[in-house]
Amino acid sequence: MRADIEHSDPYNGLRSAETTLPARSYWDEAEYRRDLEAIWYRNWMMLCREADIAQPQAYRVFTIGTQQVLVIRDESGILRAFHNTCRHRGSQLCRENEGRLKSRLLTCPYHAWSYSLRGELVRIPSKTLPAGFDKADYPLYPVAISLWRGFVFVNLTEDAAGSAAESFDPGSGDLTNWPLEELATGHVLRKVLNCNWKVFWENFNECLHCPGVHKNLSHLVPIYGRGLMARHDDPDWALHADNDAPEFAGGLRAGAETWSEDGRVHGPVFGSLTEAERAAGQTYAMHLPSMFIVGHVDYVRTVRLMPLGPEQTELTAEWLFPADALTSEGANLENIVDFGARVLEEDAAACELNQKGLHSLRHQAGVLMPEEYELHRFHQWVGGQHAAHDVTSISADSAR
Ligand code: FES
Ligand SMILES: [Fe+2]
């Protein structure tokens, strides 16, 4: 996976038996609300591509836990985000999940208060207004928006700080050399996973399950077939320090170029990648809690998560290609999509299996093996988020 790793790097594995998060944090309603308030409503979240809301007056509505965010492109082409809630008595504003407004006004379906696409309240149908009432005091509730390389992120915190670009996981690979802005969506896979959102990330963060769960992927990426993600996950890495075979160094099996059914690319590879980036086979970047993105030599794949409930998570995977690949007759995109879709289905089944077992009255918490060092880091991140955003009422709730 990381062919460029230095030989002097230490062993990655955990040295002590760390416990997982408490089992109830994966199914308990109060724990779920705590995750929403401390994590989902306070971090930058990826919603879609800018190109998904391309036309002026086009909009999409996204559900994040109990919240709905309306993202709309105003008449001057600027993307704006608001809570999908009217300032009058709180009705839902847009009933459809996507569409294009017929006018430059957003009109509440309940009593027809109308807002400009910048969020200003401009029209109220009442015959007269109460004394002292000023429309300027009732704009739509704004939501912070941050654009990163063709992706739209929002943050529900009122005084959101930073940007999407600054909040990638520090262990993320660098995708600077992938032309993300220029890519177009070639395929979308939507799926509701019957598992807590954290179960998905835990599964993402280890390859101990790869030999048993992902036969084809383990064949394509030989180090995964050993249950490892990188050279230094092996306690005996020093014995093979000079061995560049992919089962030790990472990267794809001999002869394979990309993640696809037969290992072949769909067409031209990205000319902007370094030799090391081409050799790596896959470069991951993680943006908790909502997204990971993986760059291959000829395409990019994104996976977006949204929590729907304590034991339900919506997954949206997108395959992004150079725009001309989508119209070129010779490009065999199925060869690529089928491979990745199978890996996702295998992971989804593993996550649902994990979720089912977590309800045991006897199971208070699990224990991590050395290869699961990234899960430990994820658990520490979750704990840090809870601690940083003291959600007192909810914590008191969950302590009962
Ligand atoms: S709730 Fe929107 S106009 Fe009344
Ligand atoms: Fe997996």
Side-chain angles (χ1 to χ4, degrees):
M1 190 173 186
R2 299 260 307 272
D4 56 335
I5 215 150
E6 290 296 319
H7 288 179
S8 56
D9 279 1
Y11 169 53
N12 286 334
L14 289 173
R15 286 157 171 94
S16 50
E18 305 290 345
T19 53
T20 64
L21 299 172
R24 65 186 310 213
S25 74
Y26 303 94
W27 46 258
D28 181 83
E29 185 71 40
E31 294 284 344
Y32 172 64
R33 291 207 308 274
R34 186 181 183 207
D35 281 355
L36 290 180
E37 297 228 352
I39 297 175
W40 287 90
Y41 300 164
R42 292 183 190 259
N43 283 285
W44 290 100
M45 289 175 293
M46 197 273 271
L47 295 185
C48 62
R49 299 275 291 161
E50 286 181 59
D52 295 335
I53 311 174
Q55 304 295 324
Q57 296 168 211
Y59 69 87
R60 284 183 72 171
V61 174
F62 298 89
T63 301
I64 304 147
T66 60
Q67 303 298 299
Q68 280 208 334
V69 176
L70 163 67
V71 184
I72 190 160
R73 198 174 284 279
D74 74 15
E75 54 272 24
S76 63
I78 296 174
L79 276 176
R80 300 183 183 273
F82 305 101
H83 287 261
N84 191 25
T85 294
C86 177
R87 288 300 305 270
H88 174 216
R89 276 175 37 220
S91 166
Q92 186 183 48
L93 273 176
C94 288
R95 287 177 283 197
E96 305 296 329
N97 283 341
E98 59 187 295
R100 192 170 172 203
L101 300 179
K102 291 189 185 67
S103 81
R104 292 176 175 189
L105 285 184
L106 197 53
T107 300
C108 176
Y110 198 1
H111 317 94
W113 280 30
S114 293
Y115 303 85
S116 78
L117 303 192
R118 288 182 301 281
E120 302 132 329
L121 174 59
V122 292
R123 209 159 65 199
I124 296 178
S126 290
K127 308 287 174 283
T128 178
L129 299 177
F133 182 92
D134 186 350
K135 287 208 235 16
D137 293 336
Y138 296 90
L140 292 179
Y141 302 109
V143 173
I145 200 162
S146 176
L147 304 178
W148 176 79
R149 305 200 59 198
F151 293 90
V152 179
F153 287 73
V154 296
N155 189 323
L156 287 166
T157 316
E158 248 187 281
D159 50 353
S163 66
E166 292 161 2
S167 29
F168 275 88
D169 182 81
S172 290
D174 181 359
L175 293 165
T176 307
N177 289 339
W178 275 263
L180 300 181
E181 299 84 346
E182 295 158 28
L183 303 182
T185 303
H187 187 76
V188 181
L189 183 156
R190 286 201 179 83
K191 193 174 169 68
V192 173
L193 307 180
N194 290 312
C195 70
N196 182 269
W197 67 276
K198 299 187 294 293
V199 167
F200 176 89
W201 280 119
E202 293 181 357
N203 176 74
F204 171 79
N205 273 307
E206 49 93 355
C207 218
L208 205 48
H209 69 275
C210 292
V213 168
H214 303 302
K215 298 284 187 230
N216 298 49
L217 177 58
S218 292
H219 177 60
L220 180 71
V221 186
I223 201 166
Y224 290 0
R226 297 173 61 221
L228 307 175
M229 296 183 291
R231 187 193 280 279
H232 289 230
D233 293 7
D234 179 356
D236 292 331
W237 67 270
L239 299 178
H240 314 285
D242 296 323
N243 193 333
D244 284 336
E247 55 265 49
F248 299 108
L252 309 183
R253 68 174 157 77
E257 301 165 279
T258 196
W259 282 36
S260 66
E261 294 290 63
D262 61 7
R264 293 207 198 122
V265 292
H266 73 271
V269 303
F270 298 124
S272 44
L273 306 185
T274 65
E275 201 175 314
E277 285 166 343
R278 279 198 299 273
Q282 61 281 319
T283 298
Y284 282 96
M286 181 168 73
H287 200 284
L288 291 174
S290 71
M291 170 212 211
F292 78 79
I293 174 166
V294 50
H296 300 290
V297 293
D298 58 332
Y299 73 101
V300 166
R301 188 163 52 93
T302 62
V303 170
R304 181 172 77 89
L305 295 187
M306 282 292 148
L308 299 178
E311 302 187 77
Q312 268 199 342
T313 305
E314 181 190 54
L315 177 150
T316 308
E318 298 203 23
W319 282 255
L320 308 179
F321 296 93
D324 50 6
L326 304 185
T327 50
S328 138
E329 296 214 340
N332 184 359
L333 304 189
E334 274 172 27
N335 183 38
I336 283 175
V337 169
D338 290 355
F339 185 87
R342 186 190 313 105
V343 174
L344 276 177
E345 294 290 349
E346 289 165 349
D347 280 325
C351 289
E352 293 185 348
L353 185 72
N354 193 166
Q355 185 73 33
K356 281 184 186 160
L358 286 166
H359 283 273
S360 163
L361 289 171
R362 295 292 307 278
H363 189 70
Q364 299 299 309
V367 58
L368 298 179
M369 289 296 101
E371 297 90 336
E372 295 167 307
Y373 60 95
E374 288 286 14
L375 271 77
H376 183 51
R377 204 163 66 80
F378 173 66
H379 293 156
Q380 288 180 314
W381 179 83
V382 170
Q385 295 276 309
H386 286 165
H389 307 120
D390 186 17
V391 279
T392 323
S393 59
I394 289 171
S395 308
D397 237 35
S398 59
R400 278 201 284 272

